[in-house]
Amino acid sequence: MNKDIATPIRTREILEKYGFSFKKSLGQNFLIDSNILRNIVSHADLTERTGVIEIGPGIGALTEHIARAAKKVVAFEIDGRLLPVLEDTLSPYDNVTVINQDVLEADLNKVVEEQFSGYDDLVVVANLPYYVTTPIIMKFLLDRVPIRAMVIMMQKEVADRITASPSTKAYGSLSIAVQYYMDAEVSMIVPKTVFVPQPNVESAVLTLTRKEQVPVEVIDEDFLFQVARGSFVQRRKTLLNNLQASLPNGKAKKEQILQAFEQIGMDPGRRGETLTIQEFGALANALYPEFR
Ligand code: SAM
């Protein structure tokens, strides 16, 4: 087996060879601990049938661990300076394709069609650039990319928000949007010391696994997320106040909003943070005819 990229010495050698300087604005914190990488990959249950999408391969530290365990890796890297580095470090692996593109700009379903046609198992594995953690996760979910799971490193604080339960401080529209599609579990807390340069925040690896069935059937998923977001605009305010302020023409439609609450037997004086996803689903369905 090839020597790991992710040792402190080898990483330093590679960075020096290419005169690479980190760009903080691109969330460049590279992993230099092979144990953590093995642990991340083990949570993804990769087999020789699995196709993997990686976001931000950096110098290939995580990519090579994925390449050893999966059928194929397609990695999106925004920083063109890393392309010659990756060509070098990943040369032992013939199952890696690097796409030099901002993942947020990518047509993910087209990439899946072109790169993973015939695959029956697709996952995302990544040490995410922290400045765009949430948009990346939401893009994969809202674009309906047919993935089984995502095993992703992020700020611990975001992982806590995603996995939060109702009536906790961390619970919010992000918890609802992700948990609508995926079971979410923190798999590992990761110390700052395993990165160069070290990030300012604590990190966690989150495992998201697609639910067999969504927790509540809604008329329009986007409207559910709109209602959820609107219900948390001011956490201390009641649902009625928040929805009046956030729904189109909500101020003038107080009566219609109250009718929707009455229809489902819910107290409009409750706060958003107390509602389960099922309750948000019922509320969104009741509000839908008036607001969509
Ligand atoms: N996977 C490597 C590792 O674990 O050592 C690097 C992870 S580093 C936290 C994030 C990587 O994402 C960097 O290589 C950065 O250039 C890249 N990146 C940042 N924004 C991106 C974007 N919008 N699309 C694709 N890659 C991005």
Side-chain angles (χ1 to χ4, degrees), residues 14-28:
I14 293 166
L15 297 175
E16 277 173 10
K17 179 173 171 190
Y18 289 91
F20 185 81
S21 54
F22 294 102
K23 273 197 188 153
K24 212 175 164 187
S25 62
L26 291 180
Q28 291 179 337

Side-chain angles (χ1 to χ4, degrees), residues 85-278:
V85 185
L86 288 163
E87 207 164 302
D88 177 6
T89 58
L90 297 176
S91 60
Y93 307 95
D94 61 5
N95 58 346
V96 179
T97 302
V98 177
I99 300 179
N100 182 203
Q101 191 182 17
D102 177 346
V103 69
L104 295 174
E105 303 276 307
D107 183 340
L108 293 173
N109 284 306
K110 190 160 162 242
V111 169
V112 168
E113 212 180 284
E114 286 170 1
Q115 300 280 348
F116 297 107
S117 126
Y119 282 59
D120 61 2
D121 190 39
L122 198 58
V123 303
V124 171
V125 181
N127 172 17
L128 291 175
Y130 291 179
Y131 73 105
V132 275
T133 302
T134 309
I136 291 175
I137 297 171
M138 290 316 298
K139 180 172 171 69
F140 275 88
L141 299 180
L142 297 179
D143 286 0
R144 279 49 176 192
V145 185
I147 46 170
R148 158 174 61 87
M150 299 178 92
V151 179
I152 40 185
M153 175 102 80
M154 64 188 65
Q155 312 90 301
K156 180 174 174 297
E157 179 261 330
V158 179
D160 287 342
R161 283 201 280 132
I162 290 175
T163 52
S165 308
S167 298
T168 63
K169 221 171 114 194
Y171 186 64
S173 54
L174 182 63
S175 331
I176 292 154
V178 176
Q179 291 177 31
Y180 183 76
Y181 297 109
M182 313 293 273
D183 288 321
E185 187 182 41
V186 174
S187 299
M188 206 187 340
I189 305 293
V190 181
K192 297 174 187 179
T193 48
V194 298
F195 301 89
V196 278
Q198 293 190 15
N200 296 325
V201 292
E202 225 186 332
S203 301
V205 174
L206 187 73
T207 301
L208 302 177
T209 313
R210 188 171 295 283
K211 290 187 154 128
E212 267 176 34
Q213 240 186 330
V214 292
V216 53
E217 289 297 338
V218 289
I219 305 167
D220 181 330
E221 291 175 0
D222 292 333
F223 186 67
L224 164 67
F225 303 140
Q226 186 187 334
V227 169
R229 267 195 312 276
S231 301
F232 286 95
V233 171
Q234 297 208 309
R235 290 187 79 90
R236 316 239 30 98
K237 286 203 168 175
T238 63
L239 281 170
L240 178 61
N241 278 334
N242 271 328
L243 291 173
Q244 271 197 273
S246 63
L247 288 172
N249 215 7
K251 285 265 177 299
K253 292 189 169 177
K254 184 177 179 184
E255 277 318 306
Q256 290 87 329
I257 296 177
L258 284 171
Q259 267 169 24
F261 278 100
E262 189 164 329
Q263 184 192 325
I264 57 169
M266 188 183 287
D267 176 1
R270 282 174 69 180
R271 295 206 183 113
E273 64 191 26
T274 68
L275 264 63
T276 62
I277 297 183
Q278 286 80 359

Side-chain angles (χ1 to χ4, degrees), residues 50-107:
T50 311
V52 179
I53 300 176
E54 186 190 2
I55 300 112
I59 60 171
L62 177 58
T63 322
E64 74 172 350
H65 281 265
I66 303 168
R68 287 173 189 157
K71 182 165 181 185
K72 180 175 181 180
V73 194
V74 173
F76 286 95
E77 176 53 65
I78 198 172
D79 188 347
R81 298 175 305 155
L82 288 165
L83 266 67
V85 185
L86 288 163
E87 207 164 302
D88 177 6
T89 58
L90 297 176
S91 60
Y93 307 95
D94 61 5
N95 58 346
V96 179
T97 302
V98 177
I99 300 179
N100 182 203
Q101 191 182 17
D102 177 346
V103 69
L104 295 174
E105 303 276 307
D107 183 340

